[in-house]
Each structure stands twice: as structure tokens, then as C-alpha cells.
Amino acid sequence: MKRIESAKNDTVKELSKLHRKKERDRQQRFLVEGEHMVQEALEAGLLETLFILDTHDIPDWVPEPASVICTQPVLTRLSLQESDPWIIGAVRKPNCHIPAALQRVLLLDDVQDPGNLGTLIRSACSFGISAVYCTSHCADPFGPKALQASQGAIFHIPVLPCDPDTRIRELKQDMPVFAAALHHESIPLADLKAPSRWALVLGNEGQGIREELIRLCTDTVYIEMDAFESLNVAVAGSILMYYLRHQAI
């Protein structure tokens, strides 16, 4: 295996640039940390290079040709976690395409917290969503916090940028599009009757879905609660996806 001992190594310096979204977009790759995320990237066929701490036992599943043994300062420079990592992977971005047959769709309008975004991607994958669409001001799904929250779901579901106006109009030709919003015309979730194919729109943590997008949707829906006015968007979205999937008529 190749060995890197200095954090000033040219390869390390180039990869550390992937901490910035601009560089992730330019290089079309990103970093994953931890054994689980590295294994997910490996199984998806997207792992380029694996960096392993020189004092750690090397697992049997590690691919030797793609692996580099490193000192702790090297891994620390590549990491954004508070604890010292022992394994980090450089990964190619998935080449996502719109599925030929969209069954269930999640569209996110400016969800800016990366933890919320990653959690919603994880829930979408868990509840059989065909694709996740993100508007231009959403957090980066390939950023470290979103990746950590997605727990590898990013490798199993298409996550695509979109122009929301155009995409909602296109989706409405084939399925109802439900907006999650506290609105005077909103339908209580318990009363909503959904077909087997549908799209769900969720909005920004502070402002919700933009009004012009709500007007484009088929209906608005809200979750009935005994206390508080609203839920965290990741929690609300997960509840809605579960309900819509299992209550479809």
C-alpha cells in the first residue's frame, strides 16, 4: 500500500479543498468518514481512494489497490469531525438520473440545515421515494453534516437539483403534488386520501414553502398536533412520507 506521512502532501492539500462546496462541485467528488460510510461508498462503486490510519488494524474488506496508509495528522487535515478519524474515503459523486417511472417524489424548497437535509434523504430512501429534488438554496447533500445524517442513503436514491416551478408543473401532469403547509385551506393529514403515486413538497425551516410554489401544488396538508404549531421539517417530512406511503388508495 502507498503511504503518506505529511499533512502537507499535495494529494492531501487537494483533497482538503473538498471541505468547500465550490470544490466538491468542481472536482465532482467528496469525502466520507467512518467505516459505515466508506463501506456504503465502496458497495456503490464510487470509492476512489481510501485513507487508513497507520496504527489501526486493516479490515478484511479494505481494497488494497485503492488504499493509502496515513499518519494521524494527515487524516486530521482531511476530517471535519471533532474526534480523530481512522478511515476516510475520497468518493466520486453519483451520476444521478431521473428514474424512468417516478412513483413517489420528495421536493425540498430551500431546506438549509444540512442535518435536516441528510435526515430527509435517509427517510426518503427508507420510505420508497423514487427521487429527491433540491432547490438552489438547499444545503449541499454532499457536505459532511448532510452525509453524516443521511447515513449512506445518498448512495441509494437520486438527489437532483431542480427549478421548482418547472418541476412541480411537470409532476402535476402525472400525480398530485402535496405541499406541507399551515394554510387556511390545508387538509388534516388524517383526512388526506392519496393515490399510489404522489409528490410531497417541504419548505425552509423558518419560512416554509414559498407561497408561489404552494399555489402550484394540488393540495396543502398539515399534521394535526395537540401542542406547538409546527414540527422540525425533518420530523414532519418523515411522518408525511410514512403516512402517504401506507395510506395510499
Side-chain angles (χ1 to χ4, degrees):
M1 290 185 184
K2 183 180 177 182
R3 183 179 180 89
I4 297 178
E5 297 188 354
S6 173
K8 296 181 181 180
N9 176 277
D10 287 343
T11 297
V12 176
K13 288 193 289 186
E14 183 68 11
L15 288 174
S16 66
K17 295 178 183 178
L18 296 175
H19 295 162
R20 303 191 299 272
K21 181 181 184 302
K22 179 180 178 181
E23 282 296 318
R24 293 192 290 271
D25 291 342
R26 184 183 72 82
Q27 297 187 35
Q28 285 298 294
R29 55 181 177 168
F30 57 99
L31 298 174
V32 296
E33 303 188 36
E35 188 170 355
H36 172 70
M37 289 295 290
V38 167
Q39 285 183 306
E40 289 282 353
L42 179 62
E43 291 173 9
L46 296 171
L47 182 69
E48 287 187 339
T49 311
L50 190 57
F51 300 89
I52 305 171
L53 184 63
D54 55 5
T55 60
H56 199 282
D57 292 336
I58 299 174
D60 294 338
W61 55 265
V62 166
E64 273 197 41
S67 300
V68 180
I69 299 299
C70 302
T71 60
Q72 190 65 70
V74 170
L75 289 174
T76 298
R77 179 160 187 182
L78 294 176
S79 174
L80 286 176
Q81 294 186 4
E82 293 183 5
S83 57
D84 289 333
W86 71 269
I87 189 167
I88 292 177
V91 181
R92 296 188 308 279
K93 283 190 176 184
N95 186 16
C96 295
H97 299 286
I98 299 174
L102 289 171
Q103 186 74 11
R104 294 176 283 268
V105 176
L106 179 64
L107 192 152
L108 304 177
D109 180 33
D110 297 356
V111 173
Q112 295 179 346
D113 182 273
N116 286 336
L117 179 62
T119 300
L120 285 165
I121 292 170
R122 183 179 182 181
S123 293
C125 184
S126 299
F127 298 138
I129 301 298
S130 306
V132 177
Y133 291 95
C134 299
T135 59
S136 59
H137 289 98
C138 281
D140 182 9
F142 300 101
K145 291 182 179 179
L147 289 170
Q148 184 177 13
S150 82
Q151 283 295 294
I154 194 76
F155 298 114
H156 299 284
I157 185 171
V159 180
L160 302 153
C162 76
D163 171 74
D165 299 63
T166 301
R167 197 70 195 113
I168 290 173
R169 293 178 194 276
E170 291 171 345
L171 290 168
K172 279 179 66 179
Q173 296 177 20
D174 297 315
M175 62 185 72
V177 179
F178 301 114
L182 292 171
H183 194 279
H184 69 279
E185 296 178 351
S186 290
I187 302 169
L189 182 57
D191 295 340
L192 184 67
K193 304 300 180 185
S196 59
R197 300 177 68 223
W198 46 263
L200 173 66
V201 182
L202 301 173
N204 172 269
E205 290 85 350
Q207 304 300 319
I209 304 168
R210 284 171 283 170
E211 188 63 35
E212 60 267 28
L213 296 185
I214 291 176
R215 288 196 294 269
L216 288 176
C217 294
T218 309
D219 285 301
T220 57
V221 60
Y222 74 96
I223 300 170
E224 315 91 289
M225 292 180 288
D226 292 332
F228 298 104
E229 189 175 74
S230 63
L231 295 169
N232 167 277
V233 66
V235 174
S238 299
I239 292 171
L240 287 159
M241 283 185 277
Y242 175 84
Y243 183 92
L244 287 168
R245 179 188 181 188
H246 289 280
Q247 295 296 321
I249 57 174

